[in-house]
Amino acid sequence: MSQFEILSTDPHCAARRGILHLAHGAVQTPAFMPVGTAGAVKGVVPSLLAETATEIILANTYHLMLRPGVDAVERIGGLHRLMAWDRPILTDSGGYQVFSLSGLTRIDDEGVEFASHIDGARVHLNAEIATDIQHRLGADIIMCFDECTPFPVDPSRLETAVRRTIDWARRCKHEFSVLSSQLSAHNRQPTTDDRQLLFGIVQGGIDPELRRRCAGQIVEIAFDGYAIGGLSVGEGHDNMVRTVELTAPLLPHERPRYLMGVGMPLDILAAVRAGVDMFDCVLPTRNGRNAFAFTEQGPLRLRNSVHGDSTEPVELGCDCYGCRHFTRGAIRHFFNSGEMLGPILLSLHNLRFYQRLMANIREHIERGDFEAWATGEMQRYAWTDNQ
Amino acid sequence: MSQFEILSTDPHCAARRGILHLAHGAVQTPAFMPVGTAGAVKGVVPSLLAETATEIILANTYHLMLRPGVDAVERIGGLHRLMAWDRPILTDSGGYQVFSLSGLTRIDDEGVEFASHIDGARVHLNAEIATDIQHRLGADIIMCFDECTPFPVDPSRLETAVRRTIDWARRCKHEFSVLSSQLSAHNRQPTTDDRQLLFGIVQGGIDPELRRRCAGQIVEIAFDGYAIGGLSVGEGHDNMVRTVELTAPLLPHERPRYLMGVGMPLDILAAVRAGVDMFDCVLPTRNGRNAFAFTEQGPLRLRNSVHGDSTEPVELGCDCYGCRHFTRGAIRHFFNSGEMLGPILLSLHNLRFYQRLMANIREHIERGDFEAWATGEMQRYAWTDNQ
């Protein structure tokens, strides 16, 4: 069985409805992955996370390698055991955080050296190390180490980043093959379904030529799936969509496509239309912690005094844990009083909102009316344009 | 049916096993009440709280009257709706917090005036107001407004506090009758089972003579249940136990007895032996937030590096949510990383530990071997002597 089955495609756009078969279970696509940065989706216990209909989560290699460290994760029994999550997990390579969070002290074709944002310790990371760490963490999907550039960026820096990303992807693939063959040599040959998948990443900012060149090279190396990286870094919705619409068709039809770090509902709808299958974003949980709720009727800011006496749920008709049990008035009170229940309940609501959006997207692709439906939904979520 | 049924008593001590029938359900006694200070048991959603075998929780009138305010609680639909907890709730009167948290600006026989610890607003509280507020919050059990003294305390101040506590108890009882008859006049006569219960409180520090006098007077006023207040304020385990052993037998056998704000497992065992039926304490949740776990084998401090690689649960054999799913190593990592899951999981564990202790206590009273069993358990929990 192929790891990725495409069940149906929309007749009027590039949207696809599929199933991704991974070592820890199947994932219905298009899929949204909540972010469990340091080994926990903030404030959300796994049983309540599962109730949001989440099937796969993302964890950050950068955070985990610094604390508790890959040795500790291995001794605890691996990332799934640490997180108490027995369904699929994807780890990123650490590249994005190295360039955004750490004090970068060296970057060249070999790799990077940076100062940990936790204790300033000097850390070395490159294609081989990032692959090895992710292999040991044991996620279902692991990512190539890439160079992620900010926006805007100097053209020559962008070109160098693309060149390195391609070179590092080749080294990641090689290292991954070595690790996999060591596994075989130890008589621990995994079956098709329980081996890790390695995804390549396409960089290139919003430069069409660089995206084309990078996609061509990455596809030539051949990976289990392909990510579009380096977006949602300040380029705005229109640039993002244009780049995704250009890049997605350059990636093999039969492999899953993952748009990294995106995004708002509007972004997701546009990217699904362009043929993207997977998404991750901190917005549902981060905004939830900040008293911001996503709803089909628009955004709600739960600290607003207008909700003080409200006996309504955050979103009428929502079946999330918070909406089933708590009033807006209660949740506002929790935020005002610094009670953890505020962030907990709104994180759950926002995750459920995102998973319901994904379920609706999948349903409309199956029905063949995604393009028309999505056009209406994009009007509804125009306010989620972060530009 | 009486509100309080005594099912059995231990042949060798004053311990009793009972059921308290309240408006929102039955409570098995001896019972432990987790504290939901501001309308939430910190970090614990109601479904997971119920899983700890909690049957009744305590909420603080002082906190709720200041924020969100009793009007807001009423508009939201009452305290049960605010907390999304459809089982029994007890509210304290606010007295304890007025004397410990607020800036007290006036205290006399009429009542108190204080500055809110939140915004400094001047607030007036007395027997009538405290009763009225609690009546409106709608808890199953409400408490008389009392004057709680610190330890040590000047004898004349203690005597004044006892005199006021008795006087205020009489006024609370009267106010409660007026409110109940207004209810009847509005044709909303509650049945025996769904009316609120009012508990009287015995004060008197560790002075035997004052405790006797106060108990006698409070019992004469006649309440649905009786609390022993003013303990666990620094007097130490031995003074506390001596005072409880003196006071409990002065309270009517057929009414529930509640030891306020107590305590450590050792304290609870000693007080049950003296005939106490109900307890509340912030320790399981507060300690849980501080990475401290109660276990039958002794205390665990989960920030300790010794737990870094541990694949064991916090307590072997524990069926709490955290112990069923997470390793000590993972929980230590969550505390080190500032992840909310650390406080959440240890609060749940400690609450489950307390409820399991109470279930064991009840079982041994039923069997008639509580006295002998408790003597052994008190050795085991000697470390929980807070002196």
Side-chain angles (χ1 to χ4, degrees), chain B residues 146-225:
Chain B
D146 60 334
E147 180 172 349
C148 190
T149 47
F151 182 88
V153 62
D154 177 72
S156 74
R157 186 175 159 198
L158 185 60
E159 183 148 7
T160 304
V162 165
R163 180 177 54 74
R164 281 191 189 131
T165 292
I166 296 166
D167 182 42
W168 292 351
R170 207 170 278 124
R171 287 164 53 189
C172 287
K173 172 89 184 274
H174 176 74
E175 181 69 10
F176 187 71
S177 309
V178 171
L179 293 167
S180 303
S181 65
Q182 285 172 351
L183 214 60
S184 313
H186 284 79
N187 243 351
R188 290 167 54 211
Q189 175 71 60
T191 66
T192 308
D193 263 16
D194 71 7
R195 78 174 186 88
Q196 284 186 319
L197 305 189
L198 176 65
F199 278 26
I201 304 177
V202 177
Q203 289 287 351
I206 62 166
D207 182 318
E209 184 40 40
L210 282 176
R211 283 282 172 185
R212 270 189 214 102
R213 192 196 307 169
C214 193
Q217 298 277 305
I218 295 291
V219 170
E220 203 179 287
I221 302 171
F223 291 97
D224 298 310

Side-chain angles (χ1 to χ4, degrees), chain B residues 94-310:
Chain B
Y96 180 81
Q97 280 77 24
V98 164
F99 295 103
S100 60
L101 283 186
S102 74
L104 199 61
T105 52
R106 173 179 70 82
I107 172 162
D108 57 28
D109 292 353
E110 190 280 328
V112 299
E113 230 173 55
F114 62 90
S116 157
H117 76 290
I118 297 168
D119 59 5
R122 224 177 156 88
V123 186
H124 180 204
L125 197 58
N126 64 21
E128 290 76 16
I129 298 171
T131 306
D132 183 56
I133 289 176
Q134 289 183 83
H135 183 75
R136 291 169 65 194
L137 290 174
D140 299 67
I141 300 175
I142 72 176
M143 303 299 299
C144 284
F145 187 63
D146 60 334
E147 180 172 349
C148 190
T149 47
F151 182 88
V153 62
D154 177 72
S156 74
R157 186 175 159 198
L158 185 60
E159 183 148 7
T160 304
V162 165
R163 180 177 54 74
R164 281 191 189 131
T165 292
I166 296 166
D167 182 42
W168 292 351
R170 207 170 278 124
R171 287 164 53 189
C172 287
K173 172 89 184 274
H174 176 74
E175 181 69 10
F176 187 71
S177 309
V178 171
L179 293 167
S180 303
S181 65
Q182 285 172 351
L183 214 60
S184 313
H186 284 79
N187 243 351
R188 290 167 54 211
Q189 175 71 60
T191 66
T192 308
D193 263 16
D194 71 7
R195 78 174 186 88
Q196 284 186 319
L197 305 189
L198 176 65
F199 278 26
I201 304 177
V202 177
Q203 289 287 351
I206 62 166
D207 182 318
E209 184 40 40
L210 282 176
R211 283 282 172 185
R212 270 189 214 102
R213 192 196 307 169
C214 193
Q217 298 277 305
I218 295 291
V219 170
E220 203 179 287
I221 302 171
F223 291 97
D224 298 310
Y226 297 89
I228 303 172
L231 291 176
S232 212
V233 293
E235 75 284 355
H237 176 75
D238 293 345
N239 279 327
M240 192 272 281
V241 173
R242 204 176 300 121
T243 306
V244 171
E245 288 177 344
L246 168 97
T247 311
L250 304 173
L251 305 174
H253 177 78
E254 69 282 4
R255 296 288 178 190
R257 298 164 183 158
Y258 162 31
L259 178 55
M260 304 184 81
V262 174
M264 279 294 209
L266 183 70
D267 304 327
I268 291 178
L269 287 159
V272 166
R273 190 168 59 180
V276 172
D277 308 296
M278 300 166 67
F279 301 88
D280 81 275
C281 193
V282 295
L283 280 174
T285 42
R286 180 179 293 165
N287 283 5
R289 291 197 301 283
N290 291 322
F292 178 108
F294 289 91
T295 85
E296 288 197 2
Q297 280 69 48
L300 278 190
R301 289 171 180 85
L302 268 296
R303 287 189 198 274
N304 196 314
S305 63
V306 75
H307 304 303
D309 300 336
S310 174

Side-chain angles (χ1 to χ4, degrees), chain B residues 54-73:
Chain B
T54 292
E55 295 184 324
I56 177 170
I57 59 182
L58 178 145
N60 291 123
T61 294
Y62 171 86
H63 289 88
L64 292 166
M65 70 182 279
L66 297 182
R67 190 174 53 194
V70 66
D71 292 343
V73 176

Side-chain angles (χ1 to χ4, degrees), chain A residues 205-255:
Chain A
I206 60 167
D207 182 317
E209 183 41 39
L210 280 176
R211 285 279 171 187
R212 270 188 214 102
R213 191 195 310 169
C214 192
Q217 298 278 305
I218 295 290
V219 170
E220 202 178 290
I221 301 171
F223 291 96
D224 298 310
Y226 296 88
I228 302 171
L231 292 175
S232 211
V233 293
E235 76 283 356
H237 176 76
D238 292 345
N239 280 326
M240 193 272 282
V241 173
R242 204 175 300 123
T243 307
V244 171
E245 288 176 344
L246 167 96
T247 312
L250 304 174
L251 305 173
H253 178 78
E254 68 281 8
R255 297 289 177 189

